[in-house]
Amino acid sequence: MASDHTRDPCPIVIVNDFGAAFSMGAVGGTIWHCMKGFRNSPSGERGYGALAAVRARAPVVAGNFGSWGGVFSIFDCGFKALRRKEDAFNPILSGFCTGGALALRGGFRHARNSAITCAVMLAVFEGVGMVISRLMVPAGMPAPAEV
């Protein structure tokens, strides 16, 4: 397998993935908790309630997203190095390990269930991605080769 020299090395990818996941969590957490705080506050205090909910909970959501993205990226880079190939199994295995690792404090059963859930979720994402990429290829052209 030839190395793809256009991609960043794994330490940079890990930091980028952590930052991207943290940012998505910050934006999504802000929107979610703003609406939730607005809805759950008394009518005269809705603006303050929305701001208070965002200040209290959006950083937690951002940190959770960031930690998931960073740990996933670490496992993904590890599996790419161990298996020496990039295919659909790397993210599925990475999701399995990430789900299990982040849930270990809850005990073995919780870690096992979380690992299986994350692996299934990533398998669905990979499957849908493959189907969409094959549907987007114009008729008569060969499908893109799996790397």
Side-chain angles (χ1 to χ4, degrees):
M1 177 185 115
S3 296
D4 184 8
H5 296 290
T6 60
R7 296 183 47 146
D8 290 329
C10 263
I12 294 172
V13 170
I14 292 168
V15 173
N16 284 342
D17 288 350
F18 170 78
F22 184 89
S23 299
M24 285 189 293
V27 171
T30 298
I31 293 168
W32 176 263
H33 287 291
C34 183
M35 292 186 314
K36 190 173 177 184
F38 185 84
R39 189 184 70 225
N40 292 332
S41 297
S43 62
E45 310 248 336
R46 293 197 191 271
Y48 178 75
L51 183 62
V54 167
R55 285 179 40 202
R57 298 303 302 166
V60 175
V61 174
N64 288 341
F65 267 71
S67 63
W68 199 95
V71 172
F72 176 84
S73 189
I74 289 168
F75 279 118
D76 194 41
C77 285
F79 284 124
K80 286 176 188 172
L82 283 174
R83 298 182 69 230
R84 301 211 188 279
K85 57 169 94 165
E86 289 189 43
D87 58 5
F89 292 114
N90 288 347
I92 295 169
L93 291 171
S94 300
F96 180 84
C97 292
T98 300
L102 291 178
L104 266 176
R105 293 189 315 170
F108 175 76
R109 285 179 46 193
H110 184 62
R112 179 199 62 208
N113 293 344
S114 182
I116 292 169
T117 300
C118 285
V120 168
M121 181 180 72
L122 267 295
V124 169
F125 289 166
E126 288 296 317
V128 168
M130 285 182 195
V131 168
I132 289 174
S133 69
R134 293 202 179 160
L135 290 176
M136 296 307 246
V137 175
M141 291 189 68
E146 289 293 321
V147 178

